[in-house]
């Protein structure tokens, strides 16, 4: 059974940094594209960033480009999201996603087949 477990969320002041992690198990991690999404209560889940299976290609939402960095360690079966220069509007539950395909144009990542349960990031002003 595939499991994705996010960690690293928390409360941070505006301008601060956090690193999210997603530990994957249940299938060969390096065989699948991965990504991060986020959701604010009452709004649709939105794409944040994605990475191809070997890490060669990464794509970002315009709202986080230049501030967030997605990476993966296939030896550790772990996906990361480094978030710098955080803003109050980055406050959301962040979800790890696995499977599907990453592409160079919007929507950048589709066909996801597994999701984590999310980790809450709160950025105070």
């Amino acid at each position: 059974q595939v499991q994705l477990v996010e960690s690293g969320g928390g409360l941070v002041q505006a301008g601060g940094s956090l690193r999210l992690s997603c530990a994957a198990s249940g299938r060969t991690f390096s065989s699948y594209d991965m990504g991060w999404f986020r959701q604010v209560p009452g709004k649709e889940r939105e794409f944040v960033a994605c990475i191809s299976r070997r890490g060669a290609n990464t794509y970002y939402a315009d709202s986080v480009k230049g501030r967030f960095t997605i990476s993966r360690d296939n030896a550790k079966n772990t996906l990361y999201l480094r978030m710098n220069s955080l803003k109050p509007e980055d406050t959301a539950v962040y979800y790890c996603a696995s499977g599907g395909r990453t592409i160079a144009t919007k929507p950048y990542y589709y066909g996801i087949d597994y999701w984590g349960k999310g980790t809450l990031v709160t950025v105070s002003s």
Side-chain angles (χ1 to χ4, degrees), residues 7-9 17-21 69 71 78 80-83 86:
S7 61
S17 298
L18 281 176
R19 189 180 78 159
L20 305 184
S21 299
T69 303
S71 62
T78 304
Y80 302 100
L81 184 68
R82 177 67 180 182
M83 305 185 294
L86 282 161

Side-chain angles (χ1 to χ4, degrees), residues 52-119:
S52 57
R53 57 202 64 187
R54 292 188 178 87
N57 299 312
T58 57
Y59 306 107
Y60 297 89
D62 289 342
S63 58
V64 307
K65 202 172 293 183
R67 300 188 298 122
F68 290 12
T69 303
I70 189 171
S71 62
R72 65 190 297 163
D73 187 335
N74 286 347
K76 295 183 178 180
N77 294 344
T78 304
L79 176 73
Y80 302 100
L81 184 68
R82 177 67 180 182
M83 305 185 294
N84 295 330
S85 303
L86 282 161
K87 305 175 181 179
E89 51 264 44
D90 294 318
T91 295
V93 177
Y94 284 71
Y95 296 91
C96 174
S98 176
R101 291 287 308 277
T102 58
I103 55 175
T105 57
K106 289 183 179 180
Y108 296 116
Y109 190 27
Y110 67 95
I112 294 154
D113 52 7
Y114 288 97
W115 295 90
K117 293 184 178 180
T119 184

